[in-house]
Amino acid sequence: MLLSFQSAVLRSSFRLYRLRSTSSPSSTCAIRKFLPILHDFTAELGQHQPSFSVPASRIRILSQPSEFYSMLLDMINSAEKRIFLSSLYIGASENELISALAHQLAEKQSLHLYLQLDLNRSTRPGPSSTATILLPLLRAFPDRVHVSLFRSPSLRGIMAKIVPPRFNEGWGTWHAKIYGADNDVIISGANLSKDYFTNRRDRYIRFTAQRHLSDYCFNFLQEITPLSYRLLPAEATTQNNPNTHSYVREDYALVWPDRDTHPHHIVEKIHRVLTSFQEKHCHNQEEGRKEEIVCASDDNIILFPIIQAGQFSVREEERFFQLLFGYLKKAAMRAAFAPVGSLPAGVSSIAQERPLMDVTSGYFNLYKPYQKLFFAHPQVAVRIVAASPKANGFYGSQGISGRIPEGYTFLEQKFMKAAKRMANMFSRFGSGHSNVELSEWEKSGWTYHAKGLWLSPSAESSPVLSLFGSTNLNSRSADIDTELSFVMIIPPSRSLSISPPLKCRAAANLVVKDSGEADSLVMDPVAILREQLAREVADLRKDVKPWQGDSRKVRWLTKVIVWLVGNKL
């Protein structure tokens, strides 16, 4: 398996070698003009966010649910000290996953398992809830299995009593998707359920042998544990438990660990915990490592974790977007005032080399402040991929949830009308045509759950920045749920380094002889990673078609429902 992967990397590198030798003047010019902006943006983002310098060769972008599941099992089966999994829930049919966890715990007596899940989603009534299927693990390894269930404090009082279990997630969930074992981590948007392992498209990025990054993710979950319910078998607790906020349901107990704080009164405490956690990781990094991060060696990328928890007044994702579009505006200004002679032959206008932003969300209800940024910056071409109604996970559901795909169509219609209105105000880049293009993803038998963005200096170049993780980029992700995402900054290539003139250790080139097609081949991990990102976008777009929402009828009752609960979609 390792040899086949190395062969694939070798083939990819050769394709990059061929492509690089024939790259267009327009693409090269766009990248060179974009480099100072990328560098300045990275430096300013680093003043606010924790950051990690990660070798590009230690990053692998997966494309299929089956790959994600196979790699997840491999990580579990090789874990020695810790497994930490953060998800919305674990599916009722995941017997193989539970068995793999049990087997490894039995094999490794020092191994600990940590699970951070959402309480409302994991305790839906019935014999196959997440809480119920985890009881055998808790009983078999009571000292080494730690299950924490986060409950949003927003749903309380009379509403907590009358809202049906299927809809109580609308007041906020634990939504971070982190899957780690020892020093390996997968960051994804996928949950731990059968469809996410088989026929639901998402994004999955694996980092191997990255202790600092793994520790950050593990510690992030540990910060939330004291403010989450602890899941235990009912028989492990006593009726005389002095904590009145704990309770028993069916055959399990939910134990509240903080006797001094009511579960509904944790908003300020969580705000302090999350902000101090980020500040600690910003300020306490060793000086040498901080220099390495700012400098970024030729084979390293820079990774910034971004927390968005609107109900707790933590809005790092919004700051990221505002900062990014501010620098994109600066890039446009530089291009606008560039001397005419500085453009290579064949590049006749700014529009030909404007940055390209690819955006996707399985639940497209783009947060209003983000909409304004997209519309107010026509110098950035934006391609959006959303799920078609048939690719929406609620398609065909019974009752009111069956209207959810139609509700997203209504939201998309409103978005596109706003895009056309704004295009008339900013007609410089397209004579009244919007800089935003919306497409829909549909594949027979599949649903769509991918989310994030990719930024390229031009339409002809590969991405140099990507946002990935749990955020859907919608109002719910911004205001209600608790999200963890990552911004990845990728230097364009060895010859176009973003590094400032500091003392950085440059990784040695690995040269491979290939007399059949080239005299030599330089293995450039950064270029390979950029190609992986470009391929990720291309693979997602293989199953897209033009948006057809303007021809779909939305019933008036659906419009009323969206008006009432639109921010929860």
Side-chain angles (χ1 to χ4, degrees), residues 208-500:
T208 56
Q210 296 304 302
R211 181 172 63 85
H212 293 297
L213 175 61
S214 179
D215 286 346
Y216 171 89
C217 292
F218 176 74
N219 292 334
F220 170 70
L221 302 182
Q222 292 296 99
E223 291 288 332
I224 297 298
T225 295
L227 297 167
S228 302
Y229 283 86
R230 184 182 179 189
L231 178 68
L232 293 173
E235 64 270 16
T237 61
T238 66
Q239 293 183 352
N240 296 322
N241 191 324
N243 191 334
T244 58
H245 307 309
S246 304
Y247 57 96
V248 176
R249 179 184 293 178
E250 300 174 1
D251 51 354
Y252 59 83
L254 296 168
V255 178
W256 181 250
D258 189 344
R259 298 180 181 180
D260 299 325
T261 307
H262 193 284
H264 295 163
H265 303 153
I266 59 174
V267 173
E268 292 185 6
K269 182 170 284 191
I270 290 183
H271 172 80
R272 291 196 302 269
V273 164
L274 293 179
T275 54
S276 63
F277 175 74
Q278 292 292 74
E279 290 171 358
K280 179 180 69 177
H281 281 81
C282 276
H283 300 148
N284 291 352
Q285 292 171 338
E286 316 87 70
E287 188 62 28
R289 183 165 168 259
K290 195 69 175 178
E291 179 178 296
E292 177 189 1
I293 290 167
V294 174
C295 180
S297 72
D298 285 345
D299 287 343
N300 281 19
I301 63 94
I302 307 171
L303 202 64
F304 296 99
I306 303 288
I307 299 174
Q308 181 75 9
Q311 67 171 315
F312 306 116
S313 300
V314 179
R315 296 182 174 272
E316 295 178 353
E317 182 184 289
E318 292 178 54
R319 183 169 59 195
F320 156 74
F321 268 98
Q322 292 166 357
L323 189 65
L324 177 61
F325 274 94
Y327 276 98
L328 291 176
K329 187 174 183 178
K330 292 180 182 179
M333 295 293 291
R334 289 188 182 184
F337 292 101
V340 175
S342 66
L343 297 178
V347 180
S348 58
S349 70
I350 302 167
Q352 284 180 283
E353 58 178 45
R354 61 176 172 168
L356 171 64
M357 181 178 291
D358 282 289
V359 180
T360 190
S361 176
Y363 300 112
F364 185 70
N365 177 20
L366 191 64
Y367 187 42
K368 287 291 176 60
Y370 301 167
Q371 290 188 33
K372 292 178 180 178
L373 288 172
F374 285 10
F375 298 153
H377 292 80
Q379 66 273 13
V380 180
V382 180
R383 299 190 304 183
I384 300 172
V385 175
S388 76
K390 291 183 178 179
N392 188 292
F394 292 94
Y395 183 75
S397 296
Q398 298 298 314
I400 195 172
S401 61
R403 290 181 180 261
I404 290 178
E406 189 177 307
Y408 280 106
T409 293
F410 180 52
L411 292 167
E412 291 164 7
Q413 291 173 350
K414 294 174 64 176
F415 172 80
M416 291 305 291
K417 288 178 182 177
K420 290 178 182 178
R421 286 196 303 268
M422 295 302 294
N424 293 327
M425 297 175 60
F426 299 96
S427 59
R428 181 180 178 185
F429 295 93
S431 301
H433 295 290
S434 174
N435 64 312
V436 177
E437 169 195 294
L438 178 61
S439 303
E440 55 187 43
W441 190 96
E442 185 174 314
K443 184 177 181 180
S444 180
W446 285 62
T447 55
Y448 190 71
H449 200 249
K451 68 266 299 191
L453 69 81
W454 304 256
L455 179 67
S456 304
S458 72
E460 298 178 353
S461 56
S462 301
V464 295
L465 179 151
S466 184
L467 172 72
F468 57 95
S470 64
T471 179
N472 282 301
L473 303 175
N474 55 18
S475 299
R476 176 169 174 159
S477 286
D479 289 332
I480 300 176
D481 293 338
T482 302
E483 313 277 8
L484 178 66
S485 301
F486 289 81
V487 176
M488 181 191 296
I489 310 290
I490 309 100
S493 73
R494 291 184 188 282
S495 60
L496 299 174
S497 173
I498 68 171
S499 303

Side-chain angles (χ1 to χ4, degrees), residues 106-126:
E107 288 288 314
K108 304 293 182 179
Q109 298 300 314
S110 61
L111 178 65
H112 282 249
L113 169 64
Y114 303 87
L115 293 171
Q116 181 70 53
L117 308 167
D118 182 72
L119 186 145
N120 285 331
R121 185 60 180 268
S122 297
T123 59
R124 285 182 177 178

